[in-house]
Amino acid sequence: MTRLIYVDDSGSVDHGGLIVYGWVEVSPANWRVMLRTWLELRKTLFAEYGIHVSTELHTTEYANGRRDIASSPPARLVNATTGQVLKKDLGREVALRCLRTLGECVDMRVGAVYRWSGRTGPDYAQDRYDVYRELILRFDRELAAADSFGFVTMDGDDPHYRAAHRALALDSRHLIEDPAYHDSKHSQWTQMADLVAYSANIALNRYPGNQFGWDWYADHLAARDLDGGPQPG
């Protein structure tokens, strides 16, 4: 067993368009080291911003200022006149702290795949499952070439993802088991994968409202990505 892979998706069933899967991965031997590094970051975020270690860091919410995550933000992130927290500034500062931590972890790898879909609703969902199936085939081929084994963990509990794993030929598959499902609210690893998927999404889907993060993936994650950036899937 050489690869523990944590995957999350980014995109909108209602609006269609871009489908993204991002992931973080470590070897079992480095799992404790990476988790300790991330938990030390979370302790720092608590000390500096009042963001509790158990608070879910769901990137699309906090980076866009849609959620209060900090109980004691620094004064520079509070409007001196109104006393209101500058939630977008705070969220993007926190995201950059998290990205720098991931980018500095030499024992970890990240990656992302994407596809553009012109469909919405169930049709978009089917396109999303197709991209996931191709990603699983890719992982299995890579593991077979290295004569090693891997295991995937997904955010949520969507049963459709099991089908991609069970379609692998049992006699030759190197990606073992169905995906494990972890709710991102309770998993630091899926929150890391969420940040990778979000960063890949806004790197590809460049509209003015997300210009703040267009270069996040290139600046902080590309060095940990063996492909150098998101790949068509």
Side-chain angles (χ1 to χ4, degrees), residues 56 154-157 181-188 190-191:
E56 179 186 11
M154 278 291 298
D155 182 25
D157 59 357
Y181 293 115
H182 285 177
D183 189 331
S184 61
K185 293 182 177 65
H186 309 296
S187 171
Q188 301 292 340
T190 51
Q191 291 174 42

Side-chain angles (χ1 to χ4, degrees), residues 25-83:
E25 63 173 273
V26 291
S27 69
N30 289 321
W31 183 87
R32 291 179 298 171
V33 175
M34 182 57 215
L35 183 58
R36 172 60 61 193
T37 299
W38 186 261
L39 290 175
E40 290 299 327
L41 166 68
R42 293 303 308 260
K43 290 178 182 178
T44 300
L45 295 181
F46 178 70
E48 297 185 12
Y49 302 91
I51 302 173
H52 197 276
V53 174
S54 64
T55 298
E56 179 186 11
L57 294 181
H58 188 218
T59 317
T60 192
E61 293 183 356
Y62 73 86
N64 290 289
R66 298 172 186 166
R67 182 182 172 198
D68 293 317
I69 59 171
S71 62
S72 53
R76 69 177 183 279
L77 297 171
V78 179
N79 185 300
T81 302
T82 65

Side-chain angles (χ1 to χ4, degrees), residues 67-205:
R67 182 182 172 198
D68 293 317
I69 59 171
S71 62
S72 53
R76 69 177 183 279
L77 297 171
V78 179
N79 185 300
T81 302
T82 65
Q84 292 183 325
V85 176
L86 306 174
K87 291 191 287 186
K88 288 185 179 180
D89 293 343
L90 183 149
R92 291 163 193 177
E93 186 172 307
V94 168
L96 284 169
R97 296 288 293 272
C98 294
L99 285 163
R100 292 186 188 113
T101 296
L102 294 182
E104 292 167 0
C105 291
V106 297
D107 295 321
M108 188 187 71
R109 292 289 178 263
V110 308
V113 294
Y114 68 93
R115 184 183 299 178
W116 293 95
S117 172
R119 308 197 292 177
T120 59
D123 293 329
Y124 174 89
Q126 184 58 57
D127 289 344
R128 186 173 62 183
Y129 298 136
D130 290 345
V131 177
Y132 182 78
R133 183 180 65 251
E134 292 300 318
L135 178 61
I136 291 308
L137 288 168
R138 166 187 164 165
F139 287 154
D140 197 57
R141 288 193 300 267
E142 292 171 349
L143 289 161
D147 193 23
S148 61
F149 295 88
F151 184 73
V152 166
T153 296
M154 278 291 298
D155 182 25
D157 59 357
D158 189 332
H160 289 87
Y161 292 124
R162 294 193 190 102
H165 292 245
R166 295 184 180 186
L168 297 172
L170 183 58
D171 289 343
S172 60
R173 65 183 285 184
H174 285 247
L175 193 64
I176 67 169
E177 270 291 355
D178 293 342
Y181 293 115
H182 285 177
D183 189 331
S184 61
K185 293 182 177 65
H186 309 296
S187 171
Q188 301 292 340
W189 289 100
T190 51
Q191 291 174 42
M192 295 181 222
D194 170 77
L195 179 57
V196 173
Y198 180 87
S199 298
N201 190 319
I202 60 176
L204 295 162
N205 193 14

